[in-house]
Amino acid sequence: MGDILAHESELLGLVKEYLDFAEFEDTLKTFLKECQMKGKQLPKTAGGSLRDSRSLIIQKDLIAAFDSGDQKVFFDLWEEHIPSSVRDGDSLAQKLEFYLHIHFAIYLLKHSVQRPDKEELGERISYFKTYLESKGAALSQTTEFLPFYALPFVPNPMVHPSFKELFQDSWTPELKLKLEKFLALIFKASNTPKLLTLYKENGQSHKEMSQQLHQQLVEAERRAMAYLKRYNKVQVDYHTLIGVTAELVDSLEATVSGKMITPEYLQSVCVRLFSNQMRQSLGHSVDFTRPGTASTMLRASLAPMKLKDIPLLPSLDYEKLKKDLIWGSDRLKAVLLQALRWRLTTSHPGEQRETVLQAYISNDLLDCHSQSQRSVLQLLHGRSDVVRQYMARLINAIASLAEGRLYLAQNTKVLRMLEERLKEEDKDVIARENVLGALQKFSLRRPLQTAMIQDGLIFWLIDTLKEPDCLSDYTLEYSVALLMNLCLRSAGKNMCATMGGLVLKVLSDLLGHENHEIQPYVNGALYSILSIPSVREEARAMGVEDILRCFLKEGNAEMTRQIEFIIKQLNSEELPDGVLDSDDDEDEDDEEDHDTMEADLDKDELIQPQLGELSGEKLLTTEYLGIMTNTGKTRRKGLASVQWGGDEPLRRPITPGGHRNGCPVLEDRPGSPQTSQHARDGCHRRPANTHLPACKGGEPGALAPCVSTSRKHPGSAQGPLGAADF
């Protein structure tokens, strides 16, 4: 009872608002009278009154802009307050908007006392022409509007017979009346009473949510059963393997004593090692007594099975796609960017993924070659946070593939936009991560390395890495890897030399960081910049060697060897020679043909499909199906890989995910770490439980202790791109 009394006034206000909305006038009068008789207090200002007053202000502003001919103010208010579902889906709204554009286009012709300003009139006509070519094109097949598509091209429409109606005195008042009725209807519909909203949310939406949860539960149970079957099979195979191994050990012991193994016994053991489907046929058709047969069959059974032919994804209408990406609502832009990214990230590696990427490239999906002021790339600087993030995700996905990087790197336009976004994006962590990830993958290409160094990106990286505990794992790893890639160039080393003390301080602090994935990149950056004599002098003065020796005591063998190389570099007296400058040859082919999609590209999705809303591949194939837009292309052959034993610090460009999947090669020439899989035995990561040494190094003014305080990362990121093809 106490709870009811506490909220009684608010509840009575909800009832009053609903009765007023539904126009129960007599009931409302009786309700108010009874509330007064019983001393019940109603809210002084009901929510509906506030909404009504706000709606009236918006309507007045729209009408005022209509009367004054202020085109920009009117359409800004129109797009902000008229729901996109109404603007894009309601035929009456579309027709009204068309006539409103005509009204503003000819406003100066109708209302100027003297000759209208030529420049302003030209701008209005140009704005109307742009509308006709974009959103207004939907009505081009309608007889009612067809004549008006010639309006921008008529020198004097006031005397043209086709437009006589527009310049009659009654045309503008009639259009204004239609606008007022439309606004009254729209804003009344948008002022849904809170009581009705609560009912819908707690009724129908709960039912929909329950259905979705049930579907998810069924799917989860199906996956669980599939995984259980796999587990049981693996367990049976494991027990079989242990049993056969034990028997083989007994047989080996027997042969030592001089006992012979019979062909029948050998055949029975081999058959047991094969899958159930093969046992019966193999037992009778294969002679395991022939030398080499058993081992050959066993190795063949472990070879990966050839996948069935995977069909290509349907072709898309890229012209329509790009048009909607530029002119559609923010929601439509976001779901399209998401669907295009999913098409790339979820496609099967090989021909299917190659075809998807080549279709994007051949149709210039991102408008990389467009000179138009309105392009898909401009979404990276759009007003919507979601659209900006999803655009960054798509660029990062395309940059994960060698051919995608080649497409994005045709000119520095994309690079400059990403650099601007990186420095401006301070709210959206995911957006900044994807921009940084794309830039890091760009750094696998020498021309883009040069541009990034010239743009001063090293200064931004050093400034960001001064506080690594404030960064997510993804941001930290990609920032350090990008810094290392830029430091491999002589121009990058020289730029670091201009602030050698700060760079050494930042890198030495990172040596003791708890995220061990960054250590190879820190080592590689240190090794590179210490080739500069002035940096070596500063490092000696700061006691860097003492700090490095702290990590020799407890580091693993690989890290120990790398740090020994860094100390050797620190104590060398070699002067820079021509070799250091040879890395500035921009003509060298930096790319290798190894691609990997990282899981982080699709993590933490902001947009979830609403009930009945199309998304993903279903959206693309339902609304944007095209004809023959898929194009094949011969893949370029990658450079031959070079083995790397893991002894020296990294001296070739690398991407974090690529380093995890395989050791990077050592040559200064670009290459792929994944092609060095056979050298993986030389790759050891620092154990997670390795304690970092606590020590202070050197003389007064030396670096801080090489111990990183423990921290919690804002978010955990999986290893990104698995190929360092640079």
Side-chain angles (χ1 to χ4, degrees), residues 234-498:
V234 170
Q235 191 175 47
V236 170
D237 290 344
Y238 171 74
H239 290 156
T240 302
L241 185 60
I242 292 297
V244 170
T245 303
E247 289 187 25
L248 289 176
V249 171
D250 291 340
S251 301
L252 287 173
E253 290 177 350
T255 56
V256 173
S257 303
K259 296 181 180 179
M260 298 296 293
I261 298 176
T262 65
E264 292 76 17
Y265 172 75
L266 178 62
Q267 183 151 342
S268 67
V269 169
C270 291
V271 170
R272 286 172 60 192
L273 289 173
F274 290 101
S275 62
N276 291 327
Q277 292 84 349
M278 299 174 65
R279 284 178 187 169
Q280 292 183 351
S281 59
L282 286 177
H284 300 289
S285 61
V286 179
D287 181 12
F288 288 106
T289 60
R290 190 171 58 194
T293 301
S295 60
T296 301
M297 293 297 297
L298 286 172
R299 290 188 181 93
S301 70
L302 295 175
M305 295 183 64
K306 186 177 180 180
L307 295 174
K308 296 179 180 178
D309 290 337
I310 299 171
L312 300 181
L313 295 175
S315 296
L316 301 179
D317 184 346
Y318 286 93
E319 289 301 318
K320 183 180 179 184
L321 266 170
K322 290 198 283 185
K323 178 182 171 184
D324 285 352
L325 282 171
I326 295 172
W327 301 103
S329 65
D330 287 341
R331 173 79 183 183
L332 178 59
K333 292 175 184 176
V335 295
L336 282 176
L337 290 170
Q338 182 187 59
L340 290 165
R341 168 168 47 88
W342 283 352
R343 176 171 256 236
L344 195 59
T345 58
T346 61
S347 58
H348 290 273
E351 187 179 7
Q352 188 183 74
R353 179 169 291 169
E354 291 168 24
T355 306
V356 171
L357 180 62
Q358 289 305 324
Y360 289 0
I361 294 172
S362 60
N363 291 281
D364 194 15
L365 175 63
L366 301 186
D367 285 336
C368 291
H369 306 299
S370 172
Q371 301 301 321
S372 174
Q373 292 183 343
R374 296 294 297 268
S375 66
V376 177
L377 265 181
Q378 297 299 324
L379 296 180
L380 200 58
H381 294 307
R383 292 180 301 176
S384 168
D385 294 341
V386 179
V387 172
R388 287 201 308 272
Q389 182 191 124
Y390 275 43
M391 185 64 187
R393 286 179 186 246
L394 179 58
I395 292 176
N396 193 14
I398 293 175
S400 299
L401 306 175
E403 291 292 340
R405 285 191 288 282
L406 186 62
Y407 163 62
L408 296 171
Q410 294 298 315
N411 55 58
T412 57
K413 179 169 66 172
V414 182
L415 174 65
R416 303 287 186 237
M417 293 182 70
L418 288 171
E419 289 177 336
E420 291 174 17
R421 187 77 261 143
L422 181 68
K423 295 170 184 176
E424 294 172 5
E425 194 65 70
D426 53 358
K427 297 179 185 177
D428 193 333
V429 176
I430 301 293
R432 190 170 78 160
E433 284 182 355
N434 279 276
V435 170
L436 181 62
L439 285 171
Q440 202 283 328
K441 292 158 191 171
F442 278 20
S443 72
L444 303 179
R445 299 190 60 82
R446 285 179 177 248
L448 296 182
Q449 287 176 2
T450 301
M452 283 187 262
I453 293 169
Q454 292 173 349
D455 293 343
L457 195 57
I458 288 178
F459 295 111
W460 183 90
L461 290 168
I462 293 298
D463 186 61
T464 300
L465 291 171
K466 285 193 292 189
E467 297 183 5
D469 293 344
C470 301
L471 306 176
S472 66
D473 283 350
Y474 190 102
T475 301
L476 178 61
E477 291 174 26
Y478 275 80
S479 296
V480 180
L482 175 56
L483 176 63
M484 187 202 79
N485 286 358
L486 300 182
C487 287
L488 295 176
R489 302 293 301 278
S490 56
K493 297 171 191 175
N494 291 329
M495 186 165 287
C496 287
T498 63

Side-chain angles (χ1 to χ4, degrees), residues 185-197:
L185 182 65
I186 287 296
F187 284 107
K188 181 179 180 181
S190 64
N191 291 335
T192 305
K194 192 173 181 181
L195 187 64
L196 183 58
T197 303

Side-chain angles (χ1 to χ4, degrees), residues 141-156:
Q141 304 303 317
T142 307
T143 307
E144 179 184 353
F145 298 100
L146 193 57
F148 300 119
Y149 284 83
L151 180 61
F153 307 99
V154 175
N156 188 1

